[in-house]
Amino acid sequence: GPGGDLPFLGSVLRRAECVRRCEEPRLGAVSRHRAAEEVRADFQRRVPYSYLQRAYIQLNKLEEAANAAHTFFMANPEHMEIQQDLENYKTTSGKVSLIDREARQHMEDYSAGVRHYDKEEYELAIEFLEHALKGYYSEDEDCQIMCEGPQRFEEHEYLDYKAGLYEAIADHYMQVLACKHDCVRELATRSGRISPIENFLPLHYDYLQFAYYRVGDYVKALECAKSYLLFHPDDEDVLENAGYYKGLLEGTVDPATIKPRKEAKTLLRRHKLESRLLQAAAAGLGYAYTEPNYWNRYGARQDEHSVPSSISSEPEDGPRLSLTKKPTSKPDRELKEGGPLLYSDVKFVYNSQQLNGTQRVLLDNVISEEQCRELHRVASGIMLAGDGYRGKTSPHTPNERFEGATVLKALKYGYEGRVPLKSARLFYDISEKARRIVESYFLLNSTLYFSYTHLVCRTALSGQQERRNDLSHPIHADNCLLDPEANECWKEPPAYTFRDYSALLYMNADFEGGEFIFTEMDAKTVTASIKPKCGRMISFSSGGENPHGVKAVTKGQRCAVALWFTLDPLYRELERIQADEVIAMLDQEHLGPSEMNINPKDEL
């Protein structure tokens, strides 16, 4: 009835007064503690640590500089210069153990707990995982509170906002509620990443239920199993484990008195209520909202005890439990290889198995010795230092000069007479030959498009090769951000996530070093090493299954045609499309410039 909303609004007013009364004496005026979005974004990306590193270097404080660089790198793993700086610190100061000064403690404890679990040090695993849970719920409380700050209204300019009281409250509260609901994702996401660790919170209870079982605490094992089942009530493995724990407790404790953990139950109840409110508001008020899958069960513990969420090392007199494997996420496409090479002169060398990996192939004689020499002559006439890297002449290592050129640039120079047109056309033709071979060998059932084509040379700089221990190109993956410490490859920007296959076609062997290497996800364990030579081509799928790099070129110049491909036509290489048009015009009975109505000085 009349005035029925006053108690609610009175409570809101009192809360606002309380917040303001608390904030100003402790933090000062709003201008001192509420930063602009640009500043917050810089701190989120850890940009201050990049400045700190340089400042510490000037003060000759190498240990602090190394830690600052490491802290920045953890949020910016694609930053090649910082990666090189870290390698230099390890060499000059002998510092191997680096500190992430912005590490989230609950993440650190979780990782430590998993490491101890993998080593079957179950008591230590329990200690760290319990600390991780305590830290998680504390961070969740902070995250919820931080969401109550100022919000952006994306649908309209706030100054022109003409909504009534309840619409305005609903607008603001929906922003706050969506932020709070997303705390689950925020707390499961490592610094600088977009993608969270899947099934993060439930995994704590999954590890703990087995660890407690192994140390003989069956009450805690059942408690953690029941807590896990709050999130995944139909998980057959954990249901079976819970039943086994109940059997072990018969005659000593009534299993019905053992309940799931209160904090897990409270969080999940709140999370479900938030979801219902968001979906109801989206339907009733016209908001765009899609509920993410916050508890993806593909995120599961992997250990030799069998499979995620099951027991295999039972007491000798105990029953054996069935061991069934939890489904893993399916790849975007069915992976095949071994298709025809299309050209009789191309020689097969090694397949994936022989190269100790997945979706890999090594071929020889893709181009002839004469074609290699001709390509090399073209390269010397068209390449630009730092091409593709905003003019940085040494983008990957200060000990080498990097030069490159695209297909379109080669054709442009050929058309203008700066290089033989036939030689420029060769670059175009051999890259198309490589594309056809890759598409055929990997038995792709859809067209493979060029994503980027680059003729590149790396030249060792004289006087800078002594005691060198860096790489010509650091270990990376082509369509995701490699995170060796987390043993993950994050398929998110700024990685070129649309790339599906890669190939490198080598032009020469008259240099020292420069071997192409595949590694494990740790970016350290080499699984295959390939010595370049004329006509040799290595091709592989572009994902985290194929981390790779290039060893230091210590003498001479190493040249290759680097090729990246995509199955998505939306990401076709624009310069390649333009090059196709140029080739089509040139093929029209070899018409001259006047007949084709093209000014040779124009950009193609």
Side-chain angles (χ1 to χ4, degrees), residues 117-367:
Y117 178 93
D118 289 339
K119 295 176 183 176
E120 300 188 10
E121 298 168 350
Y122 295 110
E123 290 183 351
L124 285 170
I126 289 168
E127 180 183 343
F128 278 98
L129 288 167
E130 290 288 13
H131 280 158
L133 276 175
K134 185 177 180 181
Y136 180 96
Y137 287 110
S138 175
E139 288 277 336
D140 178 66
E141 187 177 347
D142 287 349
C143 182
Q144 297 282 315
I145 293 168
M146 292 300 288
C147 285
E148 294 177 1
Q151 297 292 331
R152 290 185 64 188
F153 291 82
E154 297 178 1
E155 300 296 325
H156 36 248
E157 289 293 331
Y158 189 78
L159 293 177
D160 297 332
Y161 195 33
K162 299 292 191 280
L165 173 64
Y166 292 105
E167 290 90 343
I169 292 173
D171 260 350
H172 195 107
Y173 183 63
M174 278 293 288
Q175 304 270 347
V176 172
L177 188 61
C179 175
K180 288 187 172 187
H181 195 56
D182 209 47
C183 282
V184 167
R185 181 185 296 275
E186 169 68 19
L187 296 181
T189 305
R190 297 179 188 275
S191 298
R193 303 293 183 270
I194 296 173
S195 308
I197 299 173
E198 293 181 340
N199 205 25
F200 182 63
L201 179 57
L203 268 177
H204 289 70
Y205 297 109
D206 194 9
Y207 281 110
L208 282 169
Q209 58 98 11
F210 189 84
Y212 274 122
Y213 161 74
R214 291 305 300 269
V215 301
D217 192 337
Y218 306 135
V219 171
K220 291 281 191 183
L222 181 57
E223 177 187 76
C224 290
K226 286 187 174 183
S227 299
Y228 180 88
L229 290 168
L230 290 173
F231 300 91
H232 304 301
D234 59 345
D235 189 302
E236 294 179 3
D237 293 325
V238 179
L239 283 168
E240 191 172 13
N241 290 356
Y244 180 51
Y245 302 148
K246 289 175 184 177
L248 293 173
L249 292 170
E250 279 184 8
T252 56
V253 178
D254 180 4
T257 63
I258 300 171
K259 305 293 185 185
R261 294 202 177 172
K262 183 179 178 181
E263 63 270 19
K265 201 171 181 179
T266 301
L267 183 142
L268 195 57
R269 184 170 59 244
R270 184 198 76 209
H271 195 72
K272 288 179 177 177
L273 180 57
E274 289 169 352
S275 178
R276 286 200 295 270
L277 280 172
L278 285 165
Q279 291 179 31
L285 300 175
Y287 290 98
Y289 177 75
T290 303
E291 176 75 2
N293 186 353
Y294 288 103
W295 318 116
N296 191 334
R297 281 177 56 191
Y298 292 147
R301 66 178 174 86
Q302 305 286 340
D303 55 67
E304 71 267 14
H305 298 126
S306 65
V307 290
S309 309
S310 63
I311 302 169
S312 67
S313 301
E314 307 85 6
E316 292 182 5
D317 57 347
R320 294 192 62 80
L321 301 185
S322 63
L323 307 177
T324 56
K325 187 144 182 95
K326 202 173 273 187
T328 56
S329 54
K330 294 181 179 179
D332 297 338
R333 60 191 178 277
E334 187 179 358
L335 302 181
K336 299 178 183 178
E337 62 178 282
L341 299 178
L342 303 179
Y343 301 89
S344 59
D345 51 343
V346 175
K347 180 184 175 184
F348 170 82
V349 182
Y350 293 133
N351 61 18
S352 294
Q353 185 176 3
Q354 293 162 315
L355 291 168
N356 302 313
T358 302
Q359 293 279 278
R360 301 174 181 178
V361 65
L362 182 65
L363 305 171
D364 277 346
N365 299 338
V366 175
I367 56 176

Side-chain angles (χ1 to χ4, degrees), residues 417-436:
R418 300 194 204 181
V419 296
L421 184 56
K422 178 185 174 184
S423 301
R425 174 70 185 256
L426 176 65
F427 181 14
Y428 176 91
D429 289 338
I430 65 159
S431 55
E432 172 59 21
K433 180 179 182 180
R435 186 200 66 80
R436 294 191 64 212

Side-chain angles (χ1 to χ4, degrees), residues 369-429:
E369 291 281 351
E370 177 55 37
Q371 287 173 322
C372 285
R373 286 192 291 271
E374 190 170 354
L375 265 183
H376 213 285
R377 287 194 293 269
V378 172
S380 62
I382 66 173
M383 285 196 306
L384 181 69
D387 185 74
Y389 289 91
R390 298 180 182 176
K392 293 182 179 179
T393 58
S394 301
H396 306 303
T397 168
N399 301 308
E400 296 174 19
R401 185 177 73 253
F402 180 93
E403 299 166 290
T406 62
V407 168
L408 186 61
K409 183 178 180 182
L411 290 173
K412 177 178 182 292
Y413 275 40
Y415 190 79
E416 293 175 349
R418 300 194 204 181
V419 296
L421 184 56
K422 178 185 174 184
S423 301
R425 174 70 185 256
L426 176 65
F427 181 14
Y428 176 91
D429 289 338

Side-chain angles (χ1 to χ4, degrees), residues 528-549:
S529 179
I530 294 145
K531 179 67 178 174
K533 68 175 186 177
C534 168
R536 173 163 284 179
M537 184 171 84
I538 180 71
S539 183
F540 48 93
S541 55
S542 303
E545 68 278 5
N546 283 318
H548 57 279

